[in-house]
Amino acid sequence: MNVIKRNLRELRRYPSAVIGLIVILFLLGMSAYTVIKIPYNEAVRLWRGGEDIWVENPKNAWPVWYNWLSSTKLPETLVVDSRTDVEKIIEQTSADIREENFTFTIDFPYDEFPPEMILYINAEYEEKAPFISMTWLTPDGREIRVGDITPRSSDSYRFAQDTRLQRRLGGLPAEQGLFAAPDSDPPVPLKGTYQLQIEGLVFEDNSSFETKLVMYGDVHGLAGTDHRRRDLTVALLWGTPIAMAFGLLAAVGTTVTTMAIAAIGVWFGGALDSAIQRITEVNLILPLLPILIMIGTFYSRSIWVMLGVVILLSIFGAAIKNYRAIFLQVRVLPYIEAAQAYGASNLRVVFTYLVPRVLPLIIPNLVILVPGFVFLEASLAVLGLGDPVLPTWGKIIQDANSQGALFNGYYYWILEPSVLLMIAGLAFAMVGYALDRIFNPRLREL
Amino acid sequence: MRRQRIAPTVNRPEGRGTPSLAPPGILAAASAASGDLLRHGPIKTQRLRPRAGGPREGALSVQQQGGGILAQESFTLQDTNIIGTEAIESASRKAASAAMVRLFRYMGVKLVALFLTIVVGVYLTILIANMGGYVDQIRRAQIREGIDLFVSRNPDLRQLSEEERIRFIEEQVALAEKRVGLDQPFLFRSFRYLADALTLNLGFAEQLVSDSGSRQVRLVILERLPSTLVLFGTANLLLFFLAIFSALALSRRYGSFMDKVVMALAPTSAAPGWFYGLFLILIFAGVLRLLPFGGMVEAPPPADPLAYGVSLLEHMALPVTATLLSAIFISIYNWRTFFLIFSSEDYVEMAKAKGLPDKMIERRYVLRPTLPNIITSFALLLISLWTGAIILETVFNWPGLGRLYFRAIGLYDTPVIVAITVVYAYLLGFTVFLLDFIYALVDPRVRVGEGGTGR
């Protein structure tokens, strides 16, 4: 154990290892934060949720930091709600008609048109629905009549689908026509403050209506959104603990079991040893990835089932032969004989004398294995065999790939999970290689 | 100068309690999931130098190198004994004929052992690919559905009464099941599948059809083989020779700037090829629009062979680069370390002291003893081409064997899955068997058959 401690202290001499360690600690911290902040069930609910949860998010929006980097500013999502954001002017014009007027104010300092605009309406009435008419005021003082609605109890008005509005705007789609500077061709947005005046007529005493205007943006949140309006932050955050857990559990599970089996085989020898050898050889013929794909296609895509299979198939890997060769050397050392002489049991010899001797060799191995398993999870996800419930980095890549993100230019969608994967993989690899050199003096000078 | 610095550290390991078997840098070449070379990447053998004082047994171990999990071990090596450095020439004629007998016995034992391994491996694959028989239920349901559909669409059969129709369907289903052998229990059939697979009687695919319209598994596979070979043959051969020659150059300029750069870049090989593929597509296809997003040739394929070749090259550029990027640095790093260990041998020091030119030292004293490892690595690289690379082919939409394998699994097409696996197993077994003899040819210290397989 002292050897291990001393060698770990030596890690400080390697700058790459220090950076790697910091990154690993950061990722672990991020995992802990995520698991506490967004509990498992909440994450699954959010990720599986459809329009009901994400209705106010735009589709395929870039992350907000795009605007910080780029000179053309893309519109951000803007939500104004009549319940909270406006002052209503209510006037009883006659016995059974009440006027409710209010104005939504929209700041628009952007260089591109918004992709989508929707007015969500909730109306309460018994027989006669309220009547709503809308007028659009541009910064340069033009007034455009938008349209009239007699809403059902829960309704939405999509500006783009109003063909009469489109005709009034000279054939331009509503999102462009409303924001376009006059006489611009091709249309360019006019910056400034827009207003949507809403005049409602309510015909019953207990009747009322509320509206919410959502101007969808081209950028949204720290990570952007995907084709189902989901905020990628959730998946990027939750991908961290999953990647860490998968990588670490698989690496530890594989290495420790392999070592234990090799030690037992070497110590007991004979039929047991050769059985282990033969199993390893058979296992080497079995192709790991196709078997994982078969398991994913036929049985279960649960990430934990996959983890179990990966460990199971990797236990009898080539590593067993390496460990075996080392144990063969250790077995004949005098201190083992001494242990036998004082009457140590077989298992005691294996686990207190044989195994600890090899531990220093195992630690770098273990760390170097981690990125491989992290990427294995991503590989399975890219093939469409990711866990159906959980959001992971690999699943984001798969979603993006299947939606043609690269072809359509949604680069953030692929880049974000890839960069995280790369960072995680590199961190473990850098620490692993440094450990390798420290624990294996033969390599140290090379 | 540097040799003197290396030598003590290299000789020390016994005393340090760190068994000096193999530098786990090689030993643990990262990336379990470099999906492509997943388990069958190039392999590297590492000989325990007799000096290190370990017992002779276990003197060989194999590691995978270059972007593979420490997967593969060849069967060869465990059985090969290294007989110190005594010369073989001293054996008398009598001993020579005895040696021949021993050699044949050894070959026989080895062949049987390898064959049994293949049998068990293939049988396990058959069990898994059939989900232990569950795929049968899927197949039965498919047959019934097809016949139901046929009957409901056939106007001649409409006149039949309900009862007659049901009986007709049952008859047809029974016939169809019998035709594909579903009337027998799975366990029984599994052994027939095994026999068919082992005799390379690959049979007919369940779902997949070759482009020429054939259902023969052999044709389905052969049709995809060239595209895999052209892509991964190019990529892996480039990778292999580039890695070896760069490693040799670096081991000569040990400690130079380039050397440090390669060592610093080695961890980037933690990411598999398809991962770099995504970035390359993003840059060269997405942003710059220089190269195609995927596929093998443009559609429709150009008729002119020259244009066809150019189009093929354009489509190959990105996947080949991706493969290279993901494995080149770790390969160079591993080979370089390997060469360095060998160039700190006493006999190399001796050669230097004699004043031999560097080139000659390299050829005679460094490359020669490492030749078995280079050959192993190369042979396993060649057979790794067989399975293609499932994910890289998926990402680049390359119509190779990897995608075929993937599609076959998705369609529960067990004959194709088993066929690809069994051919791979045979290739692996054959290579391993062959390597044993090549070792003896290139390395006089290795004597095949000595001491048999017993340990």
Side-chain angles (χ1 to χ4, degrees):
Chain A
M1 283 302 130
N2 275 333
V3 181
I4 295 176
K5 255 185 222 156
R6 195 174 61 236
N7 283 332
L8 283 182
R9 225 170 289 135
E10 227 176 293
L11 208 58
R12 271 179 299 185
R13 283 186 24 228
Y14 293 85
S16 66
V18 174
I19 296 171
L21 267 184
I22 292 171
V23 173
I24 292 174
L25 286 179
F26 173 76
L27 288 172
L28 289 177
M30 197 162 133
S31 310
Y33 168 82
T34 308
V35 176
I36 294 165
K37 186 82 192 299
I38 315 172
Y40 179 86
N41 291 332
E42 176 70 4
V44 171
R45 188 184 71 86
L46 286 176
W47 196 242
R48 307 271 286 163
E51 297 265 329
D52 49 331
I53 299 175
W54 301 111
V55 68
E56 286 176 20
N57 281 7
K59 279 182 187 173
N60 292 327
W62 279 75
V64 277
W65 43 261
Y66 179 86
N67 271 354
W68 309 340
L69 306 174
S70 158
S71 57
T72 51
K73 301 294 174 220
L74 299 179
E76 290 178 32
T77 303
L78 182 94
V79 181
V80 269
D81 197 321
S82 66
R83 290 174 195 85
T84 51
D85 302 332
V86 295
E87 248 175 62
K88 292 181 190 169
I89 304 161
I90 302 175
E91 203 181 326
Q92 195 78 30
T93 47
S94 71
D96 48 0
I97 299 179
R98 193 170 78 242
E99 252 183 53
E100 287 191 18
N101 298 342
F102 50 87
T103 307
F104 288 139
T105 312
I106 299 152
D107 270 326
F108 195 83
Y110 308 113
D111 300 311
E112 292 283 339
F113 295 107
E116 206 177 355
M117 255 192 0
I118 301 177
L119 187 76
Y120 294 95
I121 306 151
N122 278 309
E124 275 178 38
Y125 58 91
E126 274 164 21
E127 277 172 13
K128 194 158 184 208
F131 177 81
I132 300 168
S133 63
M134 294 176 287
T135 316
W136 184 253
L137 300 181
T138 60
D140 55 347
R142 284 173 295 137
E143 253 185 52
I144 302 166
R145 204 166 67 79
V146 173
D148 306 324
I149 323 162
T150 310
R152 285 161 297 175
S153 61
S154 171
D155 211 342
S156 63
Y157 171 77
R158 286 162 200 267
F159 286 72
Q161 286 172 4
D162 190 336
T163 45
R164 267 181 294 177
L165 173 63
Q166 192 171 341
R167 270 203 299 280
R168 273 199 293 280
L169 293 167
L172 284 178
E175 285 83 13
Q176 292 188 19
L178 292 176
F179 289 98
D183 304 323
S184 58
D185 189 37
V188 273
L190 180 69
K191 294 178 191 176
T193 307
Y194 291 82
Q195 287 180 321
L196 183 68
Q197 282 182 346
I198 295 185
E199 292 164 0
L201 295 178
V202 183
F203 305 103
E204 290 168 8
D205 275 350
N206 293 327
S207 167
S208 67
F209 72 94
E210 300 290 351
T211 62
K212 183 169 70 177
L213 175 71
V214 183
M215 184 192 84
Y216 293 97
D218 280 322
V219 294
H220 188 93
L222 272 179
T225 61
D226 66 5
H227 61 302
R228 288 167 61 187
R229 301 181 190 273
R230 294 178 295 194
D231 191 341
L232 288 181
T233 330
V234 177
L236 290 177
L237 280 176
W238 254 93
T240 325
I242 292 172
M244 294 289 118
F246 192 90
L248 287 170
L249 284 177
V252 172
T254 313
T255 321
V256 172
T257 334
T258 304
M259 186 182 62
I261 290 176
I264 289 172
V266 165
W267 183 250
F268 290 100
L272 187 65
D273 190 28
S274 54
I276 292 173
Q277 299 289 309
R278 298 294 92 76
I279 293 174
T280 310
E281 279 151 20
V282 168
N283 188 39
L284 289 171
I285 286 196
L286 298 178
L288 173 67
L289 190 65
I291 287 187
L292 284 178
I293 296 172
M294 286 183 221
I295 303 274
T297 314
F298 300 160
Y299 298 90
S300 155
R301 289 191 198 168
S302 157
I303 195 167
W304 309 119
V305 172
M306 289 290 184
L307 179 64
V309 177
V310 168
I311 294 179
L312 209 68
L313 286 172
S314 311
I315 285 175
F316 289 97
I320 235 173
K321 302 249 170 191
N322 294 320
Y323 294 149
R324 186 172 175 279
I326 298 160
F327 281 125
L328 280 174
Q329 290 180 26
V330 178
R331 192 182 65 171
V332 294
L333 293 181
Y335 79 98
I336 302 282
E337 208 177 331
Q340 273 182 298
Y342 84 68
S345 71
N346 282 330
L347 286 181
R348 187 180 165 81
V349 171
V350 170
F351 288 106
T352 45
Y353 294 103
L354 274 180
V355 169
R357 189 71 187 251
V358 187
L359 274 184
L361 197 82
I362 296 245
I363 289 172
N365 262 357
L366 199 153
V367 180
I368 288 179
L369 278 179
V370 174
F373 287 117
V374 171
F375 276 105
L376 179 64
E377 191 274 320
S379 306
L380 288 173
V382 166
L383 287 175
L385 299 172
D387 193 287
V389 197
L390 279 174
T392 67
W393 293 338
K395 281 190 74 183
I396 306 180
I397 297 183
Q398 196 247 334
D399 278 345
N401 223 10
S402 63
Q403 297 293 320
L406 289 178
F407 193 75
N408 294 319
Y410 306 133
Y411 302 133
Y412 69 96
W413 201 356
I414 293 248
L415 277 177
E416 286 168 358
S418 308
V419 166
L420 279 174
L421 269 172
M422 194 74 221
I423 289 177
L426 266 184
F428 279 102
M430 288 195 301
V431 174
Y433 280 96
L435 281 173
D436 202 11
R437 303 170 127 255
I438 293 166
F439 281 99
N440 298 287
R442 275 184 98 178
L443 279 177
R444 195 172 296 168
E445 301 288 325
L446 295 180
Chain B
M1 277 295 119
R2 67 184 165 86
R3 304 269 187 251
Q4 284 159 8
R5 227 168 34 139
I6 297 164
T9 30
V10 169
N11 292 336
R12 167 169 66 169
E14 272 307 285
R16 287 288 310 258
T18 315
S20 66
L21 182 77
I26 301 166
L27 188 137
S31 150
S34 72
D36 315 325
L37 295 169
L38 192 60
R39 314 189 91 193
H40 311 301
I43 279 178
K44 183 165 194 173
T45 50
Q46 167 85 36
R47 190 177 52 86
L48 181 73
R49 293 172 318 137
R51 218 179 1 174
R56 283 222 175 114
E57 39 180 11
L60 282 164
S61 79
V62 185
Q63 297 90 34
Q64 185 159 18
Q65 170 243 349
I69 202 175
L70 356 112
Q72 204 90 29
E73 206 266 357
S74 79
F75 312 82
T76 343
L77 304 166
Q78 55 156 0
D79 296 330
T80 314
N81 276 351
I82 291 181
I83 311 298
T85 46
E86 318 90 291
I88 297 171
E89 296 89 64
S90 63
S92 69
R93 261 172 192 233
K94 237 182 203 168
S97 70
M100 280 305 281
V101 174
R102 247 199 340 263
L103 179 69
F104 280 113
R105 195 192 299 144
Y106 169 79
M107 271 169 61
V109 170
K110 186 138 192 69
L111 269 179
V112 170
L114 276 175
F115 186 69
L116 284 180
T117 315
I118 291 172
V119 169
V120 178
V122 170
Y123 189 66
L124 282 179
T125 313
I126 288 173
L127 286 186
I128 297 170
N130 281 291
M131 298 168 75
Y134 180 68
V135 165
D136 285 1
Q137 292 181 25
I138 300 171
R139 245 177 257 153
R140 282 207 179 93
Q142 281 171 346
I143 289 174
R144 184 166 291 273
E145 197 190 333
I147 289 172
D148 277 350
L149 210 66
F150 168 75
V151 170
S152 65
R153 281 202 187 145
N154 193 332
D156 298 342
L157 297 172
R158 285 227 184 99
Q159 281 108 31
L160 293 176
S161 72
E162 188 68 14
E163 221 170 79
E164 278 174 320
R165 182 150 38 159
I166 290 174
R167 209 178 52 230
F168 179 77
I169 289 177
E170 289 303 324
E171 271 170 18
Q172 290 296 312
V173 167
L175 263 177
E177 283 183 357
K178 191 165 185 184
R179 185 164 50 81
V180 291
L182 280 172
D183 53 332
Q184 292 161 335
F186 173 71
L187 202 65
F188 179 77
R189 264 179 306 128
S190 69
F191 285 106
R192 213 187 60 217
Y193 291 154
L194 178 65
D196 281 347
L198 290 173
T199 48
L200 288 181
N201 180 7
L202 301 179
F204 292 89
E206 304 270 345
Q207 310 277 337
L208 286 165
V209 181
S210 77
D211 289 343
S212 56
S214 171
R215 284 217 168 216
Q216 281 193 51
V217 174
R218 194 171 53 86
L219 293 179
V220 173
I221 291 178
L222 281 181
E223 204 175 69
R224 297 296 192 95
L225 190 58
S227 52
T228 284
L229 282 185
V230 76
L231 175 60
F232 295 101
T234 317
N236 287 354
L237 288 181
L238 260 178
L239 176 68
F240 183 79
F241 288 107
L242 213 63
I244 290 212
F245 286 110
S246 320
L248 262 183
L250 283 188
S251 72
R252 234 177 282 141
R253 289 182 208 84
Y254 159 79
S256 68
F257 177 70
M258 271 314 286
D259 192 35
K260 290 199 173 109
V261 167
V262 167
M263 278 174 66
L265 284 175
T268 58
S269 298
W274 62 263
F275 186 77
Y276 287 101
L278 286 181
F279 284 104
L280 290 175
I281 295 178
L282 194 158
I283 297 170
F284 291 99
V287 179
L288 300 176
R289 304 266 161 186
L290 281 178
L291 291 163
F293 280 89
M296 193 168 141
V297 284
E298 58 199 49
D304 174 30
L306 194 70
Y308 190 94
V310 170
S311 169
L312 182 68
L313 279 181
E314 270 179 7
H315 285 79
M316 270 170 63
L318 290 185
V320 167
T321 319
T323 314
L324 278 182
L325 267 183
S326 73
I328 187 77
F329 295 115
I330 187 78
S331 305
I332 298 181
Y333 175 89
N334 285 337
W335 281 117
R336 158 200 170 277
T337 311
F338 188 65
F339 287 138
L340 275 180
I341 288 172
F342 270 83
S343 39
S344 59
E345 291 277 5
D346 287 344
Y347 52 78
V348 182
E349 308 280 333
M350 179 67 180
K352 288 202 121 176
K354 277 198 287 190
L356 292 179
D358 277 355
K359 282 272 167 206
M360 187 184 265
I361 293 175
E362 210 161 73
R363 222 176 31 241
R364 208 179 271 176
Y365 298 104
V366 179
L367 274 182
R368 181 109 199 255
T370 52
L371 204 53
N373 310 297
I374 296 176
I375 291 175
T376 313
S377 187
F378 187 71
L380 290 165
L381 177 145
L382 283 186
I383 57 172
S384 78
L385 295 181
W386 174 255
T387 47
I390 296 181
I391 308 176
L392 197 74
E393 288 181 11
T394 307
V395 167
F396 281 99
N397 208 4
W398 190 268
L401 278 173
R403 281 208 51 76
L404 179 74
Y405 211 161
F406 184 53
R407 274 194 64 206
I409 295 171
L411 293 169
Y412 309 103
D413 206 328
T414 30
V416 180
I417 303 174
V418 172
I420 296 181
T421 314
V422 76
V423 174
Y424 181 77
Y426 269 128
L427 283 175
L428 190 68
F430 181 70
T431 313
V432 161
F433 183 71
L434 207 65
L435 280 177
D436 237 11
F437 293 93
I438 296 178
Y439 285 151
L441 285 182
V442 297
D443 189 347
R445 293 171 303 182
V446 175
R447 205 191 289 162
V448 167
E450 191 76 41
T453 51
R455 257 208 256 178

